[in-house]
Amino acid sequence: MAAQAKPRRRRLALVASRGSLDGAYPPLILAATAASLGWEVGIFFTFYGLDILHKKRHKKLKVAPIGNPAMPVAIPNLVGALPGMTAAATTMMRRWMKRANLPTIPQFLDMARESGARLFACSTTMGVMGIREADLVPGADIAGAAAFLDFAAEADVSLFV
Amino acid sequence: MAAQAKPRRRRLALVASRGSLDGAYPPLILAATAASLGWEVGIFFTFYGLDILHKKRHKKLKVAPIGNPAMPVAIPNLVGALPGMTAAATTMMRRWMKRANLPTIPQFLDMARESGARLFACSTTMGVMGIREADLVPGADIAGAAAFLDFAAEADVSLFV
Amino acid sequence: MAAQAKPRRRRLALVASRGSLDGAYPPLILAATAASLGWEVGIFFTFYGLDILHKKRHKKLKVAPIGNPAMPVAIPNLVGALPGMTAAATTMMRRWMKRANLPTIPQFLDMARESGARLFACSTTMGVMGIREADLVPGADIAGAAAFLDFAAEADVSLFV
């Protein structure tokens, strides 16, 4: 955007489509970082990502112990499929996040709201994912993909996570 | 892109890299929405995403019942690994999509073609994924990553899904 | 970016967040293609994607045989969970990549470095993923998300993989 005639705030447009704990952190870290740099931020939560806006579910996002061979502690898939392993992998990642001084998911959402970030809840997939307006954290706007594309069209950086 | 001197059509450049049913919907929904807003749209189908362009396979895209702790109906991984569970999760998601009045994957592709969207099939990964030109839906262009980057360089929004 | 007053090099900004073999190829292929077109390239390796920069681990990236119903050779999840199946899926994909004449991951990184691409290792998630500076390939810069956003703000195409 070097051709900009007059200075304006930079803008970050994110899509958050994943609902696992390790899928929720990247968009929230990027959003918090951009906001701390003075950028305008908007996040479009869609599909499984809607869980990040879900008042109850977002406190309990989980990590899958299987299907990801890059997990820091290698877990054979057969072991990963045993009852209790999702809970174990989730506890482990929570502990890592805490050690790295990262906020929790609800804390990140509070920070986003306080910084003025726009939180779009995808209207098309709310029904598909079984999420109603009353389930969402305060400050979320129910919006369609068209509203997100309008917002992203003027963004300096757009990322689908 | 506020600095544009004269009006031109906005452009959306997408990479569709996933071949599951829940991975295929987001780029197709974004493409259809952008086209309905009058945007120019191009989708680069690569790796598993090539299945979306595959005449036979794209009618049978599936949902993995394991490795995704954000599935609306929680399924323990050990149960998810049982024979038949992939089919069950897929049937469930198809039903949700229908209830949300979303078109099927082949319908979305027809809409994309009719709206003039460009469908690029990644030449580099066609061989890797065992897909030949005759397998593709009509209207798909076999192209390399360079063609996609050229298209995306002039886009207002580029997203890798 | 048609409004650019004077010609400058195009720029590609990538986030590489996945640490599986099939998750590592797309950003590296895009980076190599952009570099061959004369673009400036930067890749921000974060979360599991840090494994791509890990001197030892990046030679042994794996493919998950479960949780991905789009695998070219369909493997029932229960079979995919058996010991040895991750190794089998990985060997299979390595063979495909070789047949398609694709460089290995270490070769792609060498190419990236030689082309002048910037390799950012995410400082925030290095601790989380248990990766220290001495583990990284030469030429990687440890940097935060702010450095990546600065780089991406001037990019023609930004993609989160």
Side-chain angles (χ1 to χ4, degrees):
Chain A
M1 291 286 173
Q4 246 22 348
K6 38 185 172 177
R8 63 164 182 83
R9 284 176 76 192
R10 289 204 187 278
R11 181 185 284 187
L12 175 65
L14 296 169
V15 181
S17 72
R18 295 191 271 159
S20 59
L21 186 61
D22 43 349
Y25 268 108
L28 295 175
I29 292 173
L30 284 165
T33 305
S36 76
L37 296 170
W39 293 34
E40 201 182 345
V41 175
I43 316 179
F44 185 69
F45 297 86
T46 187
F47 276 87
Y48 307 113
L50 280 164
D51 275 3
I52 304 173
L53 286 186
H54 191 289
K55 274 187 295 199
K56 284 180 191 159
R57 290 190 202 155
H58 77 163
K59 292 174 192 155
K60 301 184 261 185
L61 300 184
K62 292 181 183 65
V63 176
I66 56 176
N68 178 5
M71 283 288 289
V73 178
I75 303 169
N77 284 316
L78 200 57
V79 174
L82 294 177
M85 286 308 290
T86 295
T90 303
T91 301
M92 200 162 67
M93 181 151 294
R94 282 232 185 93
R95 202 174 300 144
W96 292 331
M97 293 306 182
K98 203 171 173 185
R99 211 190 300 145
N101 287 316
L102 282 176
T104 63
I105 301 299
Q107 286 169 342
F108 260 124
L109 278 175
D110 286 344
M111 289 162 56
R113 250 196 320 266
E114 281 162 27
S115 73
R118 298 189 57 182
L119 306 176
F120 303 98
C122 174
S123 53
T124 305
T125 53
M126 276 179 70
V128 177
M129 296 293 127
I131 292 180
R132 296 157 310 155
E133 185 164 4
D135 297 325
L136 300 177
V137 296
D141 293 323
I142 298 178
F148 170 72
L149 285 172
D150 265 347
F151 182 86
E154 303 290 342
D156 298 272
V157 179
S158 297
L159 301 168
F160 185 105
V161 182
Chain B
M1 293 287 174
Q4 252 13 353
K6 38 186 172 178
R8 63 166 181 81
R9 284 176 76 191
R10 289 205 187 276
R11 181 186 284 188
L12 175 65
L14 296 169
V15 181
S17 72
R18 296 192 270 159
S20 58
L21 186 61
D22 41 351
Y25 268 106
L28 295 175
I29 292 173
L30 284 164
T33 306
S36 76
L37 296 170
W39 294 34
E40 200 183 344
V41 176
I43 316 178
F44 184 68
F45 297 85
T46 186
F47 276 88
Y48 307 113
L50 281 164
D51 275 3
I52 304 173
L53 286 185
H54 190 290
K55 275 187 295 201
K56 284 180 191 158
R57 291 189 202 156
H58 77 163
K59 291 174 192 155
K60 300 183 261 185
L61 300 184
K62 292 182 182 66
V63 176
I66 56 175
N68 178 6
M71 283 287 291
V73 178
I75 303 169
N77 284 316
L78 199 58
V79 174
L82 294 177
M85 286 308 291
T86 295
T90 303
T91 301
M92 201 163 66
M93 182 151 292
R94 283 233 184 92
R95 202 174 301 145
W96 292 331
M97 294 306 182
K98 202 171 173 184
R99 212 190 301 146
N101 287 315
L102 283 175
T104 63
I105 302 297
Q107 286 169 342
F108 260 125
L109 278 175
D110 286 344
M111 288 163 56
R113 249 196 321 264
E114 280 161 28
S115 73
R118 297 188 58 180
L119 307 176
F120 302 99
C122 173
S123 52
T124 306
T125 51
M126 278 180 68
V128 176
M129 296 292 127
I131 293 181
R132 295 158 310 156
E133 186 165 3
D135 297 325
L136 300 177
V137 296
D141 292 323
I142 298 177
F148 170 72
L149 286 171
D150 265 347
F151 181 86
E154 303 290 342
D156 297 274
V157 179
S158 297
L159 300 168
F160 185 105
V161 182
Chain C
M1 290 286 175
Q4 254 9 353
K6 38 186 172 177
R8 62 166 181 81
R9 284 175 75 190
R10 289 204 186 278
R11 182 186 284 188
L12 175 65
L14 296 169
V15 181
S17 72
R18 295 191 270 161
S20 59
L21 186 61
D22 42 350
Y25 269 106
L28 295 174
I29 292 173
L30 284 165
T33 306
S36 76
L37 296 170
W39 293 35
E40 201 182 344
V41 175
I43 316 177
F44 185 68
F45 297 85
T46 188
F47 276 86
Y48 307 113
L50 281 164
D51 276 3
I52 305 173
L53 286 186
H54 191 289
K55 274 187 295 201
K56 284 180 191 158
R57 290 190 202 155
H58 76 164
K59 290 174 191 155
K60 300 184 262 183
L61 299 184
K62 293 182 181 65
V63 175
I66 57 176
N68 178 6
M71 284 288 291
V73 177
I75 303 170
N77 284 317
L78 200 59
V79 174
L82 294 177
M85 287 308 289
T86 295
T90 303
T91 301
M92 201 163 66
M93 183 151 291
R94 283 233 185 91
R95 202 173 300 144
W96 292 331
M97 294 306 181
K98 203 170 173 185
R99 212 190 299 145
N101 286 317
L102 282 177
T104 63
I105 302 297
Q107 285 169 343
F108 259 125
L109 278 175
D110 286 344
M111 288 162 57
R113 250 196 321 266
E114 281 162 26
S115 73
R118 296 188 59 183
L119 307 176
F120 302 99
C122 173
S123 52
T124 305
T125 53
M126 278 179 69
V128 176
M129 295 293 126
I131 293 181
R132 296 157 309 155
E133 186 166 1
D135 297 325
L136 301 176
V137 297
D141 293 323
I142 297 177
F148 170 71
L149 286 172
D150 266 347
F151 182 86
E154 303 289 341
D156 298 89
V157 179
S158 297
L159 300 168
F160 185 106
V161 182

Coordinates of all heavy atoms in Angstrom, one line a residue, chain C residues 16-58:
Chain C
A16 N 3.6 -20.0 7.7 CA 3.6 -21.5 7.6 C 3.3 -22.0 9.0 O 4.2 -21.9 9.9 CB 5.0 -22.0 7.1
S17 N 2.1 -22.5 9.3 CA 1.7 -22.9 10.6 C 1.6 -24.4 10.8 O 1.3 -24.8 11.9 CB 0.3 -22.2 10.9 OG -0.7 -22.9 10.2
R18 N 1.8 -25.1 9.7 CA 1.6 -26.6 9.9 C 2.9 -27.3 9.8 O 3.9 -26.9 9.1 CB 0.7 -27.1 8.7 CG -0.7 -26.4 8.9 CD -1.7 -27.1 8.0 NE -1.8 -26.4 6.7 CZ -2.3 -27.0 5.6 NH1 -2.7 -28.2 5.6 NH2 -2.3 -26.3 4.4
G19 N 3.0 -28.4 10.5 CA 4.3 -29.1 10.6 C 4.3 -30.5 10.0 O 5.2 -31.3 10.2
S20 N 3.2 -30.8 9.3 CA 3.2 -32.1 8.6 C 3.8 -32.0 7.3 O 4.0 -30.9 6.8 CB 1.7 -32.6 8.4 OG 1.0 -31.6 7.7
L21 N 4.2 -33.1 6.6 CA 4.9 -33.1 5.3 C 3.9 -32.4 4.3 O 4.4 -31.6 3.5 CB 5.2 -34.5 4.9 CG 6.1 -34.6 3.6 CD1 7.4 -33.9 3.8 CD2 6.3 -36.1 3.3
D22 N 2.7 -32.8 4.3 CA 1.7 -32.2 3.3 C 1.4 -30.8 3.7 O 0.9 -30.0 2.8 CB 0.5 -33.1 3.1 CG -0.1 -33.7 4.4 OD1 0.6 -33.6 5.5 OD2 -1.2 -34.2 4.3
G23 N 1.6 -30.4 4.9 CA 1.3 -29.0 5.3 C 2.5 -28.1 5.0 O 2.4 -26.9 4.9
A24 N 3.7 -28.7 4.9 CA 5.0 -27.9 4.6 C 5.1 -27.6 3.2 O 5.7 -26.5 2.8 CB 6.2 -28.7 5.1
Y25 N 4.7 -28.5 2.3 CA 4.9 -28.3 0.9 C 4.3 -27.0 0.3 O 4.9 -26.2 -0.4 CB 4.5 -29.5 0.0 CG 5.7 -30.4 -0.2 CD1 5.8 -31.6 0.5 CD2 6.7 -30.1 -1.0 CE1 6.9 -32.5 0.4 CE2 7.8 -30.9 -1.2 CZ 7.9 -32.1 -0.5 OH 9.0 -33.0 -0.6
P26 N 3.0 -26.7 0.6 CA 2.3 -25.6 -0.1 C 3.1 -24.3 0.1 O 3.3 -23.6 -0.9 CB 0.9 -25.6 0.5 CG 0.7 -27.0 0.8 CD 2.0 -27.5 1.3
P27 N 3.5 -23.9 1.4 CA 4.2 -22.6 1.5 C 5.5 -22.6 0.8 O 5.9 -21.6 0.2 CB 4.3 -22.4 3.0 CG 4.1 -23.7 3.6 CD 3.2 -24.5 2.7
L28 N 6.2 -23.7 0.8 CA 7.5 -23.8 0.2 C 7.4 -23.8 -1.3 O 8.3 -23.1 -2.0 CB 8.3 -25.0 0.7 CG 8.6 -25.0 2.2 CD1 9.2 -26.3 2.6 CD2 9.5 -23.8 2.5
I29 N 6.4 -24.4 -1.9 CA 6.2 -24.3 -3.4 C 5.9 -22.9 -3.8 O 6.4 -22.4 -4.7 CB 5.1 -25.3 -3.8 CG1 5.6 -26.8 -3.6 CG2 4.7 -25.1 -5.3 CD1 4.5 -27.8 -3.9
L30 N 5.0 -22.3 -3.0 CA 4.6 -20.9 -3.3 C 5.8 -20.0 -3.2 O 6.0 -19.1 -4.1 CB 3.5 -20.4 -2.4 CG 2.1 -21.0 -2.7 CD1 1.1 -20.7 -1.6 CD2 1.5 -20.3 -4.0
A31 N 6.6 -20.2 -2.2 CA 7.8 -19.3 -2.0 C 8.8 -19.5 -3.1 O 9.3 -18.5 -3.7 CB 8.5 -19.6 -0.7
A32 N 9.0 -20.7 -3.5 CA 10.0 -21.0 -4.6 C 9.5 -20.4 -5.9 O 10.2 -19.8 -6.7 CB 10.3 -22.5 -4.7
T33 N 8.2 -20.5 -6.2 CA 7.6 -20.0 -7.4 C 7.7 -18.5 -7.5 O 8.1 -17.9 -8.5 CB 6.1 -20.5 -7.5 OG1 6.0 -21.9 -7.4 CG2 5.5 -20.0 -8.9
A34 N 7.3 -17.9 -6.3 CA 7.4 -16.4 -6.3 C 8.8 -15.9 -6.5 O 9.1 -15.0 -7.2 CB 6.8 -15.9 -5.0
A35 N 9.8 -16.6 -5.8 CA 11.2 -16.2 -6.0 C 11.6 -16.3 -7.4 O 12.3 -15.5 -8.0 CB 12.1 -17.0 -5.1
S36 N 11.2 -17.4 -8.1 CA 11.6 -17.6 -9.5 C 11.0 -16.5 -10.4 O 11.5 -16.3 -11.5 CB 11.1 -19.0 -10.0 OG 9.7 -19.0 -10.2
L37 N 9.9 -15.9 -10.0 CA 9.3 -14.8 -10.7 C 9.9 -13.5 -10.4 O 9.5 -12.4 -10.9 CB 7.8 -14.7 -10.5 CG 6.9 -15.9 -10.9 CD1 5.5 -15.8 -10.3 CD2 6.9 -16.0 -12.4
G38 N 10.9 -13.5 -9.5 CA 11.6 -12.2 -9.1 C 10.9 -11.5 -7.9 O 11.3 -10.4 -7.6
W39 N 9.9 -12.2 -7.3 CA 9.3 -11.6 -6.1 C 10.2 -11.6 -4.9 O 11.1 -12.5 -4.8 CB 8.0 -12.3 -5.7 CG 6.9 -12.2 -6.7 CD1 7.0 -12.2 -8.1 CD2 5.5 -12.2 -6.4 NE1 5.7 -12.1 -8.6 CE2 4.8 -12.1 -7.6 CE3 4.7 -12.2 -5.2 CZ2 3.4 -12.1 -7.7 CZ3 3.4 -12.2 -5.3 CH2 2.7 -12.1 -6.5
E40 N 10.0 -10.7 -4.0 CA 10.6 -10.7 -2.7 C 9.7 -11.6 -1.8 O 8.5 -11.6 -1.9 CB 10.5 -9.3 -2.1 CG 11.4 -8.9 -1.0 CD 11.1 -7.5 -0.6 OE1 10.5 -6.7 -1.3 OE2 11.6 -7.1 0.5
V41 N 10.3 -12.5 -1.0 CA 9.5 -13.5 -0.3 C 9.9 -13.5 1.2 O 11.1 -13.4 1.6 CB 9.7 -14.9 -0.8 CG1 9.0 -15.9 0.0 CG2 9.3 -15.0 -2.3
G42 N 8.9 -13.6 2.1 CA 9.1 -13.7 3.5 C 8.2 -14.8 4.0 O 7.0 -14.8 3.7
I43 N 8.7 -15.7 4.9 CA 7.8 -16.7 5.5 C 8.0 -16.7 7.0 O 9.1 -16.6 7.5 CB 8.2 -18.2 5.0 CG1 8.5 -18.2 3.5 CG2 7.2 -19.2 5.4 CD1 9.0 -19.6 3.0
F44 N 6.8 -16.6 7.7 CA 6.8 -16.6 9.1 C 6.4 -17.9 9.6 O 5.3 -18.4 9.4 CB 5.8 -15.5 9.5 CG 5.7 -15.3 11.0 CD1 6.7 -14.7 11.7 CD2 4.5 -15.6 11.7 CE1 6.6 -14.4 13.1 CE2 4.4 -15.3 13.1 CZ 5.5 -14.8 13.8
F45 N 7.3 -18.7 10.2 CA 7.1 -20.0 10.7 C 6.6 -20.0 12.1 O 7.3 -19.5 13.0 CB 8.3 -20.9 10.6 CG 8.8 -21.0 9.2 CD1 9.7 -20.1 8.6 CD2 8.5 -22.1 8.4 CE1 10.1 -20.2 7.3 CE2 8.9 -22.3 7.1 CZ 9.7 -21.3 6.5
T46 N 5.4 -20.5 12.4 CA 4.8 -20.4 13.7 C 4.1 -21.7 14.1 O 3.8 -22.5 13.2 CB 3.9 -19.1 13.7 OG1 3.4 -18.9 15.1 CG2 2.6 -19.3 12.9
F47 N 3.9 -21.9 15.4 CA 3.3 -23.1 15.9 C 4.0 -24.3 15.3 O 5.2 -24.3 15.1 CB 1.8 -23.1 15.6 CG 1.0 -22.3 16.7 CD1 0.9 -21.0 16.7 CD2 0.6 -23.0 17.9 CE1 0.3 -20.3 17.7 CE2 0.0 -22.3 18.9 CZ -0.2 -20.9 18.8
Y48 N 3.2 -25.3 14.8 CA 3.8 -26.5 14.3 C 4.7 -26.3 13.1 O 5.6 -27.0 12.8 CB 2.7 -27.5 13.9 CG 1.7 -27.7 15.0 CD1 0.4 -27.3 14.9 CD2 2.1 -28.4 16.2 CE1 -0.6 -27.5 15.9 CE2 1.2 -28.6 17.2 CZ -0.1 -28.2 17.1 OH -1.0 -28.4 18.1
G49 N 4.5 -25.1 12.4 CA 5.3 -24.8 11.2 C 6.7 -24.5 11.6 O 7.6 -24.6 10.7
L50 N 7.0 -24.3 12.9 CA 8.4 -24.1 13.3 C 9.2 -25.4 13.0 O 10.5 -25.3 12.8 CB 8.5 -23.8 14.8 CG 8.2 -22.3 15.1 CD1 7.9 -22.2 16.6 CD2 9.4 -21.4 14.7
D51 N 8.6 -26.5 12.9 CA 9.3 -27.8 12.6 C 10.0 -27.7 11.2 O 11.0 -28.4 11.0 CB 8.4 -29.0 12.7 CG 8.2 -29.5 14.1 OD1 8.8 -28.9 15.0 OD2 7.5 -30.5 14.3
I52 N 9.4 -26.9 10.3 CA 10.0 -26.8 9.0 C 11.4 -26.2 9.1 O 12.3 -26.4 8.2 CB 9.1 -26.0 8.0 CG1 7.7 -26.6 8.0 CG2 9.7 -25.9 6.6 CD1 6.7 -25.8 7.3
L53 N 11.6 -25.3 10.1 CA 12.9 -24.7 10.2 C 13.9 -25.5 11.2 O 15.0 -25.1 11.4 CB 12.7 -23.3 10.9 CG 12.2 -22.2 10.0 CD1 12.2 -20.9 10.8 CD2 13.0 -22.0 8.7
H54 N 13.3 -26.6 11.7 CA 14.1 -27.3 12.7 C 15.1 -28.3 12.0 O 14.6 -29.2 11.3 CB 13.1 -28.1 13.6 CG 13.7 -28.7 14.8 ND1 14.6 -29.8 14.7 CD2 13.6 -28.4 16.1 CE1 15.0 -30.1 16.0 NE2 14.4 -29.3 16.8
K55 N 16.4 -28.0 12.2 CA 17.4 -28.8 11.5 C 17.2 -30.3 11.5 O 17.4 -30.9 10.5 CB 18.8 -28.5 12.2 CG 19.5 -27.3 11.7 CD 20.9 -27.1 12.3 CE 20.9 -26.9 13.8 NZ 22.1 -26.3 14.3
K56 N 16.8 -30.8 12.6 CA 16.6 -32.3 12.6 C 15.2 -32.7 12.2 O 15.1 -33.6 11.4 CB 16.9 -32.8 14.0 CG 18.4 -32.9 14.3 CD 18.7 -33.4 15.7 CE 20.2 -33.1 16.0 NZ 20.5 -33.1 17.5
R57 N 14.2 -32.0 12.8 CA 12.9 -32.5 12.5 C 12.4 -32.3 11.1 O 11.6 -33.1 10.6 CB 11.9 -31.7 13.4 CG 12.0 -32.0 14.9 CD 10.9 -31.4 15.7 NE 11.3 -31.3 17.1 CZ 10.7 -30.4 18.0 NH1 9.8 -29.6 17.5 NH2 11.1 -30.4 19.2
H58 N 13.0 -31.3 10.4 CA 12.4 -31.0 9.1 C 12.8 -32.1 8.0 O 12.2 -32.1 6.9 CB 12.7 -29.6 8.6 CG 14.1 -29.4 8.1 ND1 14.4 -28.3 7.4 CD2 15.2 -30.1 8.3 CE1 15.7 -28.3 7.1 NE2 16.2 -29.4 7.7

